[in-house]
Amino acid sequence: MRPRIVTAAAALAAAGLGLLPAPPAPAASGGARLGDRPLERGDRGPDVRELQRTLRRLRLRTAVDGAYGRHTATQVRRYERRHRIRVDGEVSPGQARGLRKRAGLPFAGRPGRRAPAARRSAGAGAPPGPHFPVRGEATWGDGFGTRGGRHQGIDLLADCGTTLVAPVAGTVVNVKRHDAAGHYLVVRDAATGEEHVLMHLARPPLVAKGDEVAAGQRVGEVGRTGNASACHLHFEIWTAPGWYRGGDPRDPEPDLRRWAAPAPSRA
């Protein structure tokens, strides 16, 4: 299997979080850089060679030949066990980011995939919203419908500790911690009844179940709690009546692009 999401999360269906292991996906071609595509055994290319060099910097010895063979997969599994990531011998784009960061290398990632700069945090004179949930530099991760249609949100990669805000005014209907989703919260939009889910927060949210929140109100920080391979926000939107209340997940990227200033074009 080839996971397509940044989180590298374990199956959560039994826990009601809706993330499942991905089916196989086709390998990308030619000149990819590490982080441009998921990698698994049998892949070849310059991104595999870059992965192998990165593993060697982490004292995980493997040949640097551009072929993702048995020994490279073994070393990836050793890395995953070392850092308590799901052990599958495969490298998602988010896991690639974590690898390079631990090796002291910059993350090249996907060209042209930088997320828009967010508006300032809410305060005196701030617009009423909606607001982009990440208050700082972020990069688009895997989107809605990846992993064979099972990825129910979008991943926004950002440094751990970056401020997170409520995009819209509403009510906090759930605040919990889960082994895979980490610290998370669910906010019901007061205007539409839809629910926004923010996962992998660095620590327990700054709000509690039942709290009323304003659009742009600080609710927590980007983290990598749970089964996450890099610092990021996993963000979902569920139609009314909400998250596992009879609603359905929908693609949040169009909303995120509208909420950002300015909205970028996709490369």
Side-chain angles (χ1 to χ4, degrees):
M1 292 187 300
R2 181 197 301 276
R4 290 295 311 280
I5 66 168
V6 171
T7 55
L12 297 177
L17 293 182
L19 301 178
L20 299 173
S29 62
R33 296 178 297 180
L34 180 60
D36 283 355
R37 58 167 174 157
L39 293 174
E40 65 180 7
R41 188 171 173 179
D43 286 340
R44 294 177 176 271
D47 51 348
V48 176
R49 191 181 301 275
E50 187 178 352
L51 167 65
Q52 292 166 332
R53 291 196 183 103
T54 304
L55 289 169
R56 289 171 69 93
R57 286 179 65 97
L58 294 169
R59 299 184 180 180
L60 295 166
R61 304 290 292 182
T62 185
V64 181
D65 57 7
Y68 201 133
R70 178 180 61 84
H71 191 61
T72 297
T74 297
Q75 298 298 65
V76 169
R77 285 192 291 269
R78 287 186 61 194
Y79 168 83
E80 291 166 337
R81 283 191 291 269
R82 179 186 295 177
H83 296 285
R84 298 182 179 180
I85 300 167
R86 185 180 65 177
V87 180
D88 56 12
E90 302 168 7
V91 180
S92 70
Q95 188 167 325
R97 179 185 175 95
L99 273 160
R100 293 187 61 85
K101 185 172 182 178
R102 292 188 176 100
L105 298 169
F107 180 72
R110 299 172 183 161
R113 288 283 292 171
R114 183 164 302 283
R119 299 186 181 111
R120 297 291 182 182
S121 298
H131 291 259
F132 197 78
V134 180
R135 286 290 178 265
E137 186 176 288
T139 303
W140 298 110
D142 284 343
F144 184 85
T146 56
R147 292 167 53 93
R150 296 183 178 92
H151 192 213
Q152 296 176 328
I154 193 166
D155 297 318
L156 295 168
L157 283 68
D159 289 339
C160 279
T162 304
T163 294
L164 295 174
V165 302
V168 297
T171 304
V172 179
V173 296
N174 210 341
V175 172
K176 288 187 178 179
R177 190 190 191 287
H178 188 276
D179 286 346
H183 293 294
Y184 72 93
L185 74 154
V186 183
V187 178
R188 180 178 297 143
D189 186 335
T192 67
E194 292 189 322
E195 292 185 349
H196 298 178
V197 188
L198 294 83
M199 296 184 184
H200 303 298
L201 275 64
R203 51 188 58 84
L206 302 174
V207 292
K209 184 176 179 180
D211 285 354
E212 300 295 323
V213 294
Q217 179 178 331
R218 186 172 178 236
V219 295
E221 298 176 348
V222 172
R224 50 165 302 186
T225 56
N227 196 354
S229 59
C231 301
H232 75 288
L233 170 68
H234 174 84
F235 181 73
E236 299 180 1
I237 297 180
W238 286 66
T239 62
W243 191 58
Y244 291 97
R245 303 171 193 270
D248 295 302
R250 66 174 181 81
D251 187 357
E253 185 168 342
D255 298 77
L256 290 168
R257 289 184 176 276
R258 285 196 304 272
W259 300 343
S265 59
R266 184 187 297 275

